[in-house]
Each structure stands twice: as structure tokens, then as C-alpha cells.
Amino acid sequence: MKKANVDKAKKLIEQKIAETKSGAKRQESGKKVKIDNPLVFKDEGWDGW
Amino acid sequence: MKVGTAGKSADPVSNRFETGGILLGTWKDETVIIEQMIHISNQSHKKNEFVVSAENMNEYINRRDFVGLFHTHHILPFPGLRDYLTMTKLCRQTGVPLCLIIMKKHLTVWQFKPDLSLMRRCHAILPANYPQYLS
């Protein structure tokens, strides 16, 4: 693979990582998340895991 | 700080059940900067359980500053199995890192990433007026 292509790929990966970290990815894609069921949180142990 | 309008389940002082809500803010590297902690009415009356309705979640989940959730614990100072499963699923759905703050005597902050099935502790910068009853 050409060095220029490798550099381009590296740059793209770094850009994607930065976007994910900043939370920008979701807005860029415009994808809307819809929650259908209630979220359940429990103060419980990990027995049986 | 915006406080939910629920009945006794939203009362952080006298309530023996869990309370919690939504976290709004930003990520800076591996640290979450919390700008707002919004109490959400607990849909469950069971002890040690905190339930957020789909309606409440849909109100915040697509906001760019949605960074996670928080809730109180009375037994364990770390996420339970259900907490972990709920957060990992939510994280995969949103495709962005999320955090879960567990508030017991002291609070602990846990980070979830969409491409990992692991959770790990991370740092958080809290708003100056975060609930004093938890300090």
C-alpha cells in the first residue's frame, strides 16, 4: 500500500476516534435514537454472572 | 439545577427508594464534565430499583450534551448487573461514550464505550451545586 494511503487512513481513524470522544459522531450522522422500553437500574450484586 | 416534579420518589432526603436522573455535559479526553444533573421521577416503587420511562429518555437521549445517567445506591457502591446491562445496551444504541454515576456515601463514576463490553472508572468534574445531600 502506498505511504500516502496509509497516512490518509491513519488520519481518518484519528478523526473518527476524536469524533466519538467528543460525542460529535451522533450529530454528524443525524441518526436518532428511540428508546422503546423503560431503563431499569438496580442496586444489586453480580451473583450468578 | 432542574428538579423533577415527581411525588415522594423524587425527594432525595426522605425517600428510602433510589433516585436519579440524566447527566448533561461533555467529554474531555477520558473525563466527563457534568454541566447539569436533571432529576427524573422514579417509575418504580420497588426498593433498590430506579426506572426511567422511555418517554423521559427520549426527551434527552438525542441531545448532543447527553452524557449519561446517575442514581443512588444503598447497598453497593458500584453498578449492579442490571445497571451494567442497561448502560452497555444504551451505549451501543447511541454510539457514543456514556457514564453512570453511582451515588452512595461517596459517588463513583463509570465509563461505558460503544465498542467495548467493559465498564471502567473515570473522572468527572461535577457542577458546583451538585446535590449536597450526597456529599
Side-chain angles (χ1 to χ4, degrees):
Chain A
M1 195 183 286
K2 284 182 184 177
K3 191 180 179 297
N5 287 345
V6 173
D7 290 342
K8 198 176 170 184
K10 275 183 183 173
K11 203 175 172 182
L12 196 66
I13 290 165
E14 281 169 10
Q15 192 186 332
K16 288 289 173 193
I17 290 169
E19 283 173 0
T20 306
K21 280 182 178 173
S22 69
K25 184 184 168 189
R26 184 169 23 161
Q27 194 170 62
E28 188 188 71
S29 67
K31 186 188 165 192
K32 292 263 182 182
V33 178
K34 190 172 180 292
I35 303 296
D36 298 316
N37 299 306
L39 298 190
V40 181
F41 297 91
K42 272 189 180 178
D43 185 2
E44 63 178 4
W46 289 68
D47 294 344
W49 177 245
Chain B
M1 180 176 295
K2 187 180 170 186
V3 178
T5 54
K8 70 174 186 178
S9 62
D11 181 352
V13 179
S14 65
N15 180 21
R16 68 192 176 92
F17 302 117
E18 287 194 62
T19 64
I22 301 284
L23 298 169
L24 300 179
T26 51
W27 285 97
K28 190 175 190 299
D29 299 322
E30 298 299 305
T31 299
V32 60
I33 302 163
I34 308 295
E35 284 155 15
Q36 233 187 320
M37 300 171 79
I38 302 167
H39 276 276
I40 298 289
S41 167
N42 188 359
Q43 298 296 302
S44 171
H45 292 287
K46 288 182 189 169
K47 197 176 179 183
N48 301 322
E49 189 175 83
F50 176 65
V51 176
V52 186
S53 69
E55 190 185 9
N56 275 328
M57 277 311 299
N58 285 323
E59 195 179 328
Y60 295 101
I61 194 143
N62 288 302
R63 282 180 62 146
R64 194 179 183 182
D65 56 356
F66 173 74
V67 286
L69 293 112
F70 70 97
H71 67 115
T72 54
H73 273 194
H74 303 287
I75 305 168
L76 299 167
F78 48 81
L81 176 58
R82 177 55 56 188
D83 291 346
Y84 167 80
L85 294 172
T86 300
M87 286 305 294
T88 47
K89 187 180 175 186
L90 191 66
C91 201
R92 279 198 303 271
Q93 283 178 290
T94 58
V96 295
L98 294 176
C99 79
L100 176 67
I101 296 184
I102 300 293
M103 294 166 153
K104 198 170 176 272
K105 190 176 180 183
H106 301 286
L107 56 86
T108 54
V109 189
W110 303 84
Q111 184 192 48
F112 296 81
K113 286 189 169 184
D115 50 349
L116 289 172
S117 298
L118 298 170
M119 63 178 179
R120 62 179 176 182
R121 286 192 69 171
C122 68
H123 295 288
I125 297 171
L126 296 162
N129 62 341
Y130 88 95
Q132 293 303 303
Y133 64 92
L134 293 160
S135 62

